[in-house]
Amino acid sequence: MQNARGLVWYSERRSLKTKVTPVDRVDRKLTKVDRRRPDRDTMEKAASIIKEGGLVAFPTETVYGLGADGMNPAAVGKIFAAKGRPSDNPLILHLSSPDGALGLARLDGRALAAMRAFWPGPLTIVLPALSSVPREVTAGLSTVALRMPDHPVALALIEASGCPIAAPSANRSGRPSPTDAQAVVSDLGDAVDLVLDAGAVDIGLESTVIDASGEDVLLLRPGGTPLEALEEFFGAPIKTPGSGAPEARRSPGTRHRHYAPIVPVRIWTPCDALIAATDKSGFVGRLRGGGVPPGFARAICFDSAESYASGLFAAFRALERDCSEIVAEWPEADGVGLALRDRIRRAASPDA
Ligand code: TXA
Ligand code: MG
């Protein structure tokens, strides 16, 4: 594409199935920000958009988020409209310190201890909501999800805005979460007021979501905080909500289709001898001990589970541009592998 002016957003293919935002509009919305030392002026500008009820996409350590003032129902409503997100799927409130949770949720010693141990970091804690939290955030549930991200830009934005920031991942609903600013622009360019571009994120998969609103702690979504670390901290195995768990103690988001590229995803297990690929297939995974089997148009291989996790969604977005199907290696289940499995399984299930 001509006239790209340094932006990476182009493709070798002529007909793109994805919607691409025109470059000049993209240019004006993307604002570079130093990851480690976000400059005051930029953060003030972003915060004033939040305070006025606008939408700012910002980096976290997990994925980019689409932020609005979490106390402003109209602003929160814009998030749902921009993403095409079902209104029954509640949002996470992002805080700049555990103190920010006071006045939003009913806190007990266990929740406070978990916040102190895991924040800032990729752990979202679901707790009983106080009436101050708009129902647009909780989607009418009696609980609220809270998280303090481990990213200087995210923390500076929350601080400068002076409010909790409601933010889902900054992708169109159902698409892979964005791990860099270009992916945000490609999905949401028209709908977002500003995109803070601090480069690629670290973890690449979303936060782990636990429900600590009841007697036992439940795992609602595996993510950046390993289950093993949580079980060690809580001193007990953490269950996923079984079929008998009340609807209120599940993650509504897990009911909806998620993380899917625009082409089908097929799962490959390393003990399967052969991948029956066509010359239109792309491969993503670790593929221990060997090259890529013949037949693949493109392959994106990683040398660790962590790099597979941080590269999965970007690989989906890259491969969908010139492959007609994607074959994803099924990883081991330990550490970040549990979250990787979850995202790959959902990407590969058309109705999940
Ligand atoms: O890493 C992350 O968590 C990213 C970054 C931006 O912070 N955010 C993110 O948000 O992944 P989202 O909206 O894409 O996913 C939040 C998940 C959804 O599955 C939602 O249903 C669940 O958290 N959730 C939010 N509030 C909840 C609540 N009160 N009870 C149960 N689940 C809740
Ligand atoms: Mg999401």
Side-chain angles (χ1 to χ4, degrees), residues 63 83 85 89 168-171 174-175 177 206 221 258-259:
V63 298
K83 281 183 60 100
R85 183 179 175 103
N89 194 1
S169 47
N171 50 281
R175 296 270 298 143
S177 297
E206 303 81 352
R221 176 178 75 181
H258 256 91
Y259 315 118

Side-chain angles (χ1 to χ4, degrees), residues 58-66 79 83 85 88-94 121-127 129 137-139 141-147 149 167-171 177 205-211 213 220-221 223-224 247-256 258-259 343:
F58 62 98
T60 78
E61 79 280 34
T62 56
V63 298
Y64 272 71
L66 177 64
I79 293 178
K83 281 183 60 100
R85 183 179 175 103
D88 65 350
N89 194 1
L91 302 175
I92 298 171
L93 288 180
H94 294 68
L123 180 67
T124 296
I125 308 178
V126 172
L127 292 166
V137 170
T138 62
L141 296 179
S142 60
T143 53
V144 62
L146 303 175
R147 138 165 160 81
S169 47
N171 50 281
S177 297
L205 302 179
E206 303 81 352
S207 62
T208 301
V209 182
I210 57 169
D211 179 334
S213 69
L220 301 188
R221 176 178 75 181
E247 188 66 13
R249 296 203 71 198
R250 292 176 186 221
S251 187
T254 57
R255 285 198 298 262
H256 300 291
H258 256 91
Y259 315 118
R343 306 307 187 268

Side-chain angles (χ1 to χ4, degrees), residues 32-314:
K32 291 254 185 237
V33 53
D34 186 329
R35 204 208 115 88
R36 263 161 303 182
R37 234 174 296 126
D39 77 275
R40 270 270 287 283
D41 287 355
T42 306
M43 299 319 297
E44 286 301 331
K45 182 180 159 200
S48 66
I49 293 173
I50 295 281
K51 286 187 242 179
E52 285 159 19
L55 299 182
V56 175
F58 62 98
T60 78
E61 79 280 34
T62 56
V63 298
Y64 272 71
L66 177 64
D69 178 350
M71 291 302 174
N72 177 343
V76 172
K78 289 185 191 168
I79 293 178
F80 286 87
K83 281 183 60 100
R85 183 179 175 103
S87 60
D88 65 350
N89 194 1
L91 302 175
I92 298 171
L93 288 180
H94 294 68
L95 314 172
S96 60
S97 76
D99 284 352
L102 301 165
L104 298 173
R106 207 168 68 228
L107 305 174
D108 56 14
R110 183 182 65 184
L112 287 168
M115 288 172 186
R116 276 197 294 272
F118 291 98
W119 286 3
L123 180 67
T124 296
I125 308 178
V126 172
L127 292 166
L130 299 183
S131 58
S132 57
V133 181
R135 55 172 295 123
E136 286 74 8
V137 170
T138 62
L141 296 179
S142 60
T143 53
V144 62
L146 303 175
R147 138 165 160 81
M148 177 184 173
D150 188 11
H151 195 294
V153 175
L155 295 174
L157 179 66
I158 302 163
E159 278 289 306
S161 302
C163 57
I165 292 193
S169 47
N171 50 281
R172 279 200 63 79
S173 206
R175 296 270 298 143
S177 297
T179 54
D180 60 30
Q182 281 75 27
V184 176
V185 165
S186 139
D187 268 22
L188 301 176
D190 289 334
V192 64
D193 297 305
L194 184 74
V195 181
L196 293 171
D197 178 1
V201 299
D202 296 330
I203 296 177
L205 302 179
E206 303 81 352
S207 62
T208 301
V209 182
I210 57 169
D211 179 334
S213 69
E215 201 171 312
D216 16 274
V217 175
L218 300 176
L219 177 70
L220 301 188
R221 176 178 75 181
T225 299
L227 184 61
E228 294 87 336
L230 291 169
E231 294 193 325
E232 194 183 322
F233 176 81
F234 289 108
I238 295 180
K239 290 178 253 161
T240 43
S243 46
E247 188 66 13
R249 296 203 71 198
R250 292 176 186 221
S251 187
T254 57
R255 285 198 298 262
H256 300 291
R257 177 163 161 73
H258 256 91
Y259 315 118
I262 55 176
V263 299
V265 174
R266 199 148 57 92
I267 296 173
W268 175 72
T269 316
C271 49
D272 296 345
L274 196 77
I275 306 173
T278 71
D279 61 5
K280 295 273 171 52
S281 300
F283 175 87
V284 57
R286 293 187 57 199
L287 207 76
R288 275 143 289 199
V292 180
F296 281 92
R298 285 184 67 190
I300 300 180
C301 297
F302 302 99
D303 58 9
S304 68
E306 286 70 28
S307 58
Y308 189 7
S310 70
L312 178 75
F313 289 148

